[in-house]
Amino acid sequence: MGYNEVVSNVIHATDVRNWLQCRRLFKYANVERIRKETYEKPDYFSYGTEGHKIICAHYKGEDVNEVINNISNEEHQTELAQLYRLYKKQYATIDPELQVAAVEESISIELKGQPILFTMDLLALMKNVGYVIVDHKFLRSFPNQEFLDIDFQISFYYWAAVKKGLDIKAFFYNVIKKSIPSHPALLKN
């Protein structure tokens, strides 16, 4: 299979990330079409997916409890329910300022004739600000500046919004830590 046959296919944002991180992985998966051996995904991969479903339901006005109750891993279900309660409390003052334009919307943009497909987490019109892009990240710790500087997803989101004629005024990395905050322990003095 040659290069010209590959460019006629849609490339997903994940493929771009693979290309940036490992050219050989991209070549095997996208050019030579060598498929990885399939296996059951470990539960830690599903955490972010489940969290995105909860946040998506929240901003679409759907029943978040139904989404939480459909999580098969009981530990994830309990933790994500607690995280969602904290999320609602934290964003109670911000959410009324947002007029949601798109939630988990699949968007295709072209780069030199090659369609690239990705899913934008949240696009909203914020009072007294303008359009903002929100990228939800479920991480164990807060990212450093280098991570934020080289994150290609937000660049794609911005690019797509500009191509749609939107004037983006801000980006938000909505980092949701994968652990519930605990009470501080008393020091033994």
Side-chain angles (χ1 to χ4, degrees):
M1 179 172 286
Y3 176 76
N4 291 333
E5 291 173 40
V6 173
V7 294
S8 66
N9 296 330
V10 172
I11 294 177
H12 295 265
T14 304
D15 302 326
V16 175
R17 182 176 52 236
N18 289 345
W19 184 81
L20 291 170
Q21 292 175 348
C22 180
R23 305 295 198 280
R24 187 167 297 192
L25 172 63
F26 178 85
K27 178 184 176 202
Y28 290 156
N30 296 86
V31 178
E32 297 182 11
R33 301 286 189 203
I34 298 172
R35 296 287 167 221
K36 291 189 287 186
E37 194 173 312
T38 58
Y39 60 93
E40 182 90 13
K41 273 189 188 180
D43 277 342
Y44 59 82
F45 284 129
S46 66
Y47 199 93
T49 302
E50 293 161 343
H52 270 82
K53 287 178 183 176
I54 291 168
I55 300 299
C56 179
H58 170 81
Y59 284 107
K60 285 186 171 182
E62 297 172 354
D63 186 357
V64 174
N65 290 324
E66 183 180 329
V67 175
I68 291 171
N69 291 336
N70 286 328
I71 296 172
S72 58
N73 181 312
E74 288 182 29
E75 184 179 335
H76 286 189
Q77 187 181 58
T78 303
E79 285 181 11
L80 286 165
Q82 290 175 339
L83 284 172
Y84 178 65
R85 282 192 291 278
L86 292 170
Y87 180 86
K88 279 195 327 187
K89 185 177 179 182
Q90 178 72 27
Y91 286 90
T93 57
I94 296 172
D95 278 355
E97 300 288 316
L98 297 176
Q99 179 184 348
V100 176
V103 180
E104 295 289 332
E105 182 178 309
S106 292
I107 299 171
S108 179
I109 57 175
E110 283 197 17
L111 175 62
K112 295 188 177 185
Q114 173 62 53
I116 300 173
L117 183 69
F118 59 94
T119 303
M120 186 183 299
D121 293 352
L122 178 64
L123 175 66
L125 186 60
M126 189 171 195
K127 287 181 185 171
N128 302 320
V129 176
Y131 280 101
V132 297
I133 295 172
V134 182
D135 190 22
H136 309 300
K137 300 282 188 197
F138 287 81
L139 304 171
R140 293 183 199 278
S141 60
F142 290 107
N144 61 23
Q145 188 62 45
E146 182 182 3
F147 173 87
L148 299 175
D149 289 342
I150 64 171
D151 183 15
F152 74 93
Q153 281 181 297
I154 204 77
S155 298
F156 277 150
Y157 299 162
Y158 177 78
W159 186 19
V162 168
K163 285 189 96 158
K164 287 185 170 212
L166 301 175
D167 184 18
I168 302 300
K169 297 295 185 184
F171 307 124
F172 293 108
Y173 279 96
N174 180 20
V175 177
I176 302 165
K177 288 187 70 177
K178 285 186 175 183
S179 58
I180 305 298
S182 59
H183 294 286
L186 291 174
L187 298 175
K188 296 178 183 177
N189 286 342

